[in-house]
Amino acid sequence: MVVSLSLPIAVGAQSGPLGEARDERDEVQDRRAEVADDIDVLEASDAEIDAVLDGIDARLAAQQAELDGARDAADEAAAAEQAARSDLRQARRDVETLRTAIAEMAVESFVHPPTVDLVQSLQAASLSDALLQQAYLDARAKRDLTLLDLLETAEDEAERRAADLEAAAAAAAEAVQAAEAALTELESERSRQQAFAADLQDRINSRLAEAAVLAELDAELADQIQAEQAALIERIPPAPDPVVPTNAPDDGGGTTTTNPPGSSTPPTTAPPTTQPPPPPPNPDAPPLRTVQGITVHAEIADDLDALLTAAANDGVNLSGWGYRSSASQIALRRAHCGPTNYDIWYKPAGQCSPPTAIPGRSLHEQGRAIDFTHNASTITSRSSPGFRWLADHAASYGLFNLPSEPWHWSTNGG
């Protein structure tokens, strides 16, 4: 009888899943920190926004790399588990084969006991017959011992294979958990990205609204702001299709939504409502007063008048631009974004050509913001005498600067 035994196959050492990828991800996050959580999007400069977007991109790339590594590790661990399971099955088959051979050996020994064969050898007719019979007895004894040794070896091998399978199964389970954790982290990072993108959309709306105000005051600065915001719009990550709020005013027909740049989802159409809700409150008619050439909300008119007078007494010639009607912004939205109520009130600014702020996103439309000039030039530098005077005194008159715009002062710094 020929007994075939499988050769031992060592199960590959299982490294901790994603160890290196996780370390790399943590290093990236440590270097860049969670700047997106610490920055005030409305007050940040465009350079700071760019830095945050770079950080988000880097963290997303690191998270994606971790997920890819986790999935590869899970695949490798699953393959190792499958190989260990196959090895264990072969080892158990070897044990059963040997046990069958030994059982057959036992039956043969019972039917033809070695003692009978020895007597026959002694009774042999010739020396050559006796030697042949003795050689047969020796070979039979060696075979019997070999089978027993092989069975013991096979049983030991089966135990080792069982331990290998247990370790491989544990490593596979760990790798799957690591992949699931990496996916959760990636989804969390994407959620943070989308939250920052939403804040960035608000910032873009605010800056574009500011550009609309400046278009009549300082066309060159307005064009610069428009260009800067257009560049930021290109960096906004794709988001789900916009959904028309349930209280959106309706124009009697369906409203078509357009996907952000880079989105592969087809545009969707929102059905008209049967009972159109009232339009948004009209921010176009606050109580207004004009003081020293600047029109503002009546509530801040006296303070502004006092501020301008104090600045003049200190030799600082300030003027500027205050209130701007939302009707002007609505007209721009209709021209740049489309004629429907969705186009005017809800479409993201970046989907308009050129990008145009949603009406009502500027304190200028409430008469509670002023864009100051010094000696008839917009204050674009913090080193300007006009800015320095305002920085020292404006708070006393209830006005606060938006850090990203040296010229822009309002009742809440926004």
Side-chain angles (χ1 to χ4, degrees):
M1 173 184 296
V2 177
V3 179
S4 175
L5 297 178
S6 61
L7 295 176
I9 301 176
V11 177
Q14 298 291 329
S15 61
L18 310 176
E20 294 182 2
R22 190 181 300 278
D23 291 342
E24 180 183 353
R25 187 280 315 275
D26 291 342
E27 182 180 352
V28 170
Q29 289 186 339
D30 289 343
R31 284 200 310 267
R32 294 185 177 272
E34 293 292 345
V35 288
D37 296 334
D38 300 332
I39 193 169
D40 186 325
V41 179
L42 290 178
E43 294 187 0
S45 68
D46 286 344
E48 290 170 328
I49 294 293
D50 273 334
V52 172
L53 289 169
D54 287 341
I56 288 175
D57 290 344
R59 290 198 305 277
L60 278 173
Q63 291 287 2
Q64 186 64 57
E66 179 178 353
L67 177 58
D68 293 342
R71 286 173 171 166
D72 289 344
D75 290 343
E76 291 173 5
E81 180 185 7
Q82 188 63 33
R85 196 177 302 279
S86 177
D87 290 343
L88 177 58
R89 285 196 297 267
Q90 182 61 50
R92 286 174 174 169
R93 284 196 294 268
D94 291 344
V95 170
E96 290 305 315
T97 299
L98 287 168
R99 284 176 176 168
T100 298
I102 290 172
E104 292 174 354
M105 176 190 72
V107 171
E108 184 180 352
S109 296
F110 178 78
V111 175
H112 301 289
T115 54
V116 175
D117 290 337
L118 180 59
V119 171
Q120 291 176 348
S121 175
L122 293 173
Q123 294 175 348
S126 67
L127 178 60
S128 60
D129 290 341
L131 291 174
L132 287 172
Q133 289 182 358
Q134 185 60 46
Y136 164 73
L137 288 174
D138 291 344
R140 177 176 168 181
K142 290 179 180 178
R143 183 205 67 180
D144 295 346
L145 290 174
T146 299
L147 285 176
L148 292 172
D149 289 342
L150 286 173
L151 176 60
E152 182 178 359
T153 300
E155 288 175 338
D156 290 343
E157 180 65 16
E159 290 181 3
R160 285 194 295 272
R161 294 301 185 188
D164 289 343
L165 175 58
E166 183 178 356
E174 181 183 355
V176 168
Q177 290 178 350
E180 291 174 349
L183 177 59
T184 298
E185 290 176 0
L186 178 61
E187 290 174 345
S188 177
E189 188 61 45
R190 283 176 175 163
S191 295
R192 287 194 291 271
Q193 180 198 51
Q194 290 299 326
F196 184 75
D199 289 343
L200 186 54
Q201 287 280 14
D202 287 342
R203 168 201 168 83
I204 288 170
N205 268 304
S206 176
R207 294 278 281 168
L208 290 174
E210 185 68 10
V213 175
L214 289 169
E216 301 176 52
L217 182 69
D218 190 329
E220 184 176 350
L221 181 56
D223 290 344
Q224 176 186 333
I225 294 174
Q226 281 274 2
E228 291 169 349
Q229 301 320 293
L232 282 181
I233 287 169
E234 292 298 320
R235 297 202 59 182
I236 294 178
D241 290 339
V243 178
V244 179
T246 55
N247 63 345
D250 187 80
D251 56 6
T255 57
T256 300
T257 67
T258 305
N259 295 316
S263 174
S264 58
T265 307
T268 59
T269 299
T273 55
T274 55
Q275 294 181 343
N282 183 7
D284 199 38
L288 301 172
R289 280 179 54 195
T290 301
V291 293
Q292 301 191 39
I294 302 176
T295 301
V296 293
H297 196 288
E299 290 180 355
I300 69 170
D302 289 341
D303 284 336
L304 176 62
D305 191 27
L307 179 151
L308 295 171
T309 299
N313 291 338
D314 288 341
V316 178
N317 180 25
L318 295 179
S319 186
W321 192 275
Y323 171 75
R324 181 177 188 271
S325 73
S326 60
S328 301
Q329 195 67 20
I330 291 171
L332 286 177
R333 287 282 292 189
R334 183 175 285 108
H336 300 163
C337 309
T340 70
N341 281 289
Y342 170 77
D343 293 330
I344 294 169
W345 296 101
Y346 299 106
K347 179 184 286 186
Q351 293 180 14
C352 303
S353 180
T356 306
I358 294 173
R361 298 303 178 92
S362 171
L363 287 176
H364 285 284
E365 294 173 54
Q366 301 175 27
R368 298 182 183 276
I370 300 101
D371 288 343
F372 281 107
T373 63
H374 176 243
N375 291 336
S377 296
T378 305
I379 298 174
T380 58
S381 169
R382 286 173 174 74
S383 62
S384 162
F387 180 87
R388 291 201 300 267
W389 190 94
L390 288 166
D392 292 338
H393 301 94
S396 301
Y397 300 94
L399 293 178
F400 305 90
N401 176 241
L402 179 64
S404 60
E405 299 173 354
W407 61 86
H408 183 86
W409 297 73
S410 68
T411 54
N412 65 3

